[in-house]
Amino acid sequence: MKHLLGGIASLCVLAGSAYAQQTTLTIGMQLEPPHLDPTSAAAAAIDEVVYANIYEGLTRFASDGSVVPGLAQSWEIAEDGLSYTFTLQEGVLFHDGSTLTADDVKFSLDRARGEDSTNAQKALFADIDSVNVVDDSTVEVTLIAPNGSLLFNLAWGDAVIVDQGFTEDAKTAPNGTGPFKFADWVQGDRVEIASNPDYWGEAAKLEGVTFKFISDPTAAFAALMAGDVDAFPVFPAPENLPQFEADPRFNVIVGSTEGETILSTNNQQPPFDDVRVREAVAHAIDRQAIINGAMFGYGTPIGTHFAPHNPAYLDLTANSDFDPEKSKALLEEAGYADGFTTTLKLPPPSYARRGGEIIAAQLRAVGIETEITNLEWAQWLEEVFRGKDYGLTIVSHTEPMDIGIYARPDYYFQYDDPVVQAMMKGLDAMTDADDRTAVLQAVQTRISENYVNGYLFQLAKTGVADARIVGLWENSPTQANDMTAVYWKE
C-alpha cells in the first residue's frame, strides 16, 4: 500500500500567506505491538494503537477515567443485579461494511470467556452466565452473581467487540467499528490508520495517523526535534523534558497513569516462596533512588498495587521502607545469610532497563546477586508472562484498577492466597461505594504485608507534543493513544 500518512504533512502556502490546516499526525511509540488483536494478548502497545481508534466496546473509558457509552447507547440493570440489557447504537458498520448486530456482541463475549479463550483478561468475564440476543439491536448479559464492576470491565480493551467472521487475519488487518480504519503495517517501522467515512458517531478530525515505533530514547529525541514525529505521548527519555519545556515549539504533558511499576516476583520459585525473602527484597529497595535514577524524578512511590490518584488508595510505603540492615537480618532468618543468586529479566522500556541496573546494585548490597537478561517484548511475554520462567522482572501494569490479578493464582507472579480470592469475589457482588472502598483497602494491605511483589512507583505519563496539537490525553486511565478528538490548531 502506498505510504500516505507518515511524517508531518507539508504546509501548503495559500493566498495571503495563510497555511492549510494539517490533517495527519505521526505519533511516536517506544514498543511495537506483537499484533493488533487486543482480545488475545497482554501487550499494552496493542491497545495504544487500536483502543477507541479501530476497536470499540459496549462501554469505554473517557479521558478522565469515567465509564461512558460506547457501542451500547444505553443499558438497563435488573433489580437483582443479575442481568444487564444493552441497546446498541444505530447504524454501526464494521470497517468491511458489515452491520454490527447483537449476534456480534454475543460472539465477542462468548469468545472472550470461552474455555479455549486466549484473552489475557479472561477473568473480567468470569461472572457472565450467558449472553442472549433479544433482537438485532438488543443483547442481554446475565450473571452468575451480581458484579458491580461489569460496566467497568466491559470498557477494557480486552472486551472490544469483533465481528462474527473474526479470524487470525485480524491480528495484522483488524476489522473494527471505530472512527479510524486500519491502513497499513510496515513491520518494524509503523502502523497507519485512516479516518472512517462511515463511522456511526462523531467523525475523527484527522484524516490519518501514523504510529511510528522508535525504541531508542536518543532516536526518539532526535525524531521530535527534527519534526519526523509530531508527538510522543509516553516519551522514553525523561532527562530531555527540560529541554522540550524550554522550547516554545513543544508542549510537555505530564499526567498520571494506571501504571503500577513493580519488581514482579515469582512467588512459586524458591526462595521467593518464603515471605521473609520477599520482605528482604522489599527492604533492600530504595524507591526514590530508582525514581531519580531511572525516571529523573518523575513517578510517585507506591507500597501496594494501586494508583495513588484513586480515592480508595492507601499509602503503605512504610511497610517496605528502605532498610538494608533489616533486609540482611530477614535473609539470615530465612537461611540465606550468604545471599543467593536469581534471574532479573527486563523488557525494553527504559524504566525497566535503567531501573533494573539500579535495583541489581541495591540487591547486591544485601547479598542477592542477579543475572540480568534484556528481553525484547515478545520474548518477555513468552518467557515471563506466559512461561513464568523467571525469578524477578520489572514491568509497569497499565491496566485500569487491576488489583484483581492478585486473586488469580495462575497469573504470572503466581500468588495463591484464598483470603484475597475471597475478598475480590465479595467485591464483585458489592455496589455500595463505601463497602467497595473498605474491601479494596483490605486487599491493598494484604498484598503489601505479604510482600507479593516489590512495589516501586506509579508511572508518570510524560509526553511531548508539537504545541499546535489539541486533544491528546493528559492522563492515561487506560493504555491508549485515543486519536478520536485530536486535531491541529489553525
Side-chain angles (χ1 to χ4, degrees):
M1 179 176 291
K2 187 177 179 182
H3 179 208
L4 299 175
L5 307 175
I8 297 182
S10 298
L11 291 175
C12 301
V13 180
L14 303 177
S17 298
Y19 291 93
Q21 185 176 10
Q22 292 176 247
T23 57
T24 64
L25 191 70
T26 300
I27 293 290
M29 289 174 51
Q30 191 174 21
L31 298 178
E32 180 173 15
H35 56 73
L36 297 175
D37 175 18
T39 67
S40 64
I46 300 174
D47 280 3
E48 288 173 4
V49 172
V50 305
Y51 186 88
N53 299 322
I54 294 177
Y55 282 117
E56 301 172 295
L58 292 175
T59 58
R60 59 158 292 175
F61 293 112
S63 60
D64 63 357
S66 60
V67 175
V68 298
L71 290 175
Q73 61 174 284
S74 62
W75 48 83
E76 293 182 3
I77 306 173
E79 287 188 10
D80 61 5
L82 290 176
S83 73
Y84 288 64
T85 302
F86 295 92
T87 301
L88 303 182
Q89 304 282 1
E90 297 178 359
V92 179
L93 299 177
F94 285 99
H95 296 155
D96 66 359
S98 60
T99 300
L100 170 78
T101 70
D103 289 312
D104 296 298
V105 176
K106 176 176 172 58
F107 169 81
S108 299
L109 296 181
D110 284 349
R111 172 176 172 266
R113 67 193 187 90
E115 287 186 12
D116 58 350
S117 171
T118 58
N119 195 297
Q121 301 296 339
K122 185 178 176 181
L124 292 173
F125 315 101
D127 282 336
I128 294 178
D129 184 41
S130 65
V131 183
N132 309 305
V133 173
V134 178
D135 55 43
D136 279 353
S137 60
T138 312
V139 62
E140 179 193 41
V141 177
T142 66
L143 304 179
I144 298 168
N147 186 338
S149 300
L150 182 68
L151 297 175
F152 182 91
N153 293 348
L154 292 176
W156 283 48
D158 308 81
V160 298
I161 303 303
V162 300
D163 66 288
Q164 297 174 73
F166 184 91
T167 67
E168 290 294 297
D169 292 342
K171 289 187 174 182
T172 52
N175 177 38
T177 59
F180 291 96
K181 292 183 175 184
F182 172 78
D184 195 13
W185 187 357
V186 179
Q187 296 274 346
D189 183 39
R190 64 187 183 273
V191 167
E192 302 170 2
I193 60 177
S195 60
N196 173 17
D198 301 316
Y199 184 55
W200 61 268
E202 184 176 350
K205 295 176 172 61
L206 294 169
E207 293 180 2
V209 179
T210 295
F211 297 94
K212 181 81 170 172
F213 309 122
I214 305 173
S215 60
D216 179 65
T218 302
F221 174 78
L224 276 166
M225 294 300 289
D228 297 329
V229 168
D230 301 317
F232 224 114
V234 182
F235 186 66
E239 66 271 24
N240 294 136
L241 294 179
Q243 189 169 344
F244 286 114
E245 287 176 332
D247 190 328
R249 294 177 299 163
F250 300 100
N251 279 335
V252 173
I253 308 167
V254 178
S256 63
T257 76
E258 288 290 324
E260 291 83 22
T261 307
I262 62 175
L263 179 65
S264 298
T265 306
N266 192 335
N267 280 239
Q268 294 299 318
Q269 183 186 91
F272 301 118
D273 54 349
D274 187 329
V275 67
R276 294 170 296 182
V277 174
R278 299 197 301 271
E279 183 178 358
V281 169
H283 288 297
I285 293 170
D286 183 346
R287 294 186 188 89
Q288 196 58 51
I290 298 165
I291 293 170
N292 293 341
M295 301 304 297
F296 294 84
Y298 292 97
T300 304
I302 56 172
T304 188
H305 198 112
F306 213 71
H309 57 257
N310 191 297
Y313 175 73
L314 281 179
D315 183 358
L316 298 168
T317 51
N319 284 348
S320 49
D321 58 326
F322 179 49
D323 190 340
E325 294 308 312
K326 186 173 184 179
S327 179
K328 292 175 184 176
L330 283 162
L331 288 174
E332 183 175 1
E333 181 183 330
Y336 296 95
D338 296 326
F340 60 89
T341 299
T342 189
T343 58
L344 177 57
K345 297 189 175 183
L346 303 174
S350 54
Y351 67 74
R353 298 281 173 88
R354 292 170 173 170
E357 296 291 343
I358 297 168
I359 287 175
Q362 293 175 349
L363 293 177
R364 187 177 304 116
V366 300
I368 301 173
E369 292 292 335
T370 56
E371 298 173 348
I372 292 180
T373 305
N374 290 330
L375 301 177
E376 292 307 308
W377 190 241
Q379 292 175 296
W380 187 91
L381 289 170
E382 186 62 31
E383 288 187 29
V384 177
F385 189 78
R386 285 189 286 269
K388 305 177 181 67
D389 179 16
Y390 77 105
L392 299 170
T393 187
I394 300 173
V395 71
S396 189
H397 283 254
T398 55
E399 299 88 357
M401 202 174 74
D402 58 351
I403 198 168
I405 59 180
Y406 288 81
R408 295 163 54 183
D410 61 339
Y411 202 62
Y412 79 103
F413 44 71
Q414 302 190 92
Y415 173 61
D416 190 357
D417 183 356
V419 174
V420 168
Q421 292 159 25
M423 287 193 289
M424 291 306 301
K425 186 174 183 180
L427 178 72
D428 286 340
M430 295 178 180
T431 56
D432 181 80
D434 290 340
D435 290 344
R436 290 178 63 84
T437 293
V439 172
L440 286 168
Q441 291 184 342
V443 176
Q444 289 175 61
T445 301
R446 177 85 176 177
I447 64 174
S448 176
E449 293 177 347
N450 280 344
Y451 302 94
V452 182
N453 292 304
Y455 301 106
L456 305 177
F457 59 88
Q458 197 73 13
L459 192 68
K461 187 174 187 292
T462 51
V464 180
D466 187 299
R468 297 168 294 165
I469 297 172
V470 177
L472 293 171
W473 280 9
E474 177 180 337
N475 301 313
S476 288
T478 191
Q479 43 203 21
N481 289 314
D482 183 347
M483 296 288 107
T484 58
V486 177
Y487 63 95
W488 292 87
K489 293 178 187 175
E490 295 188 20

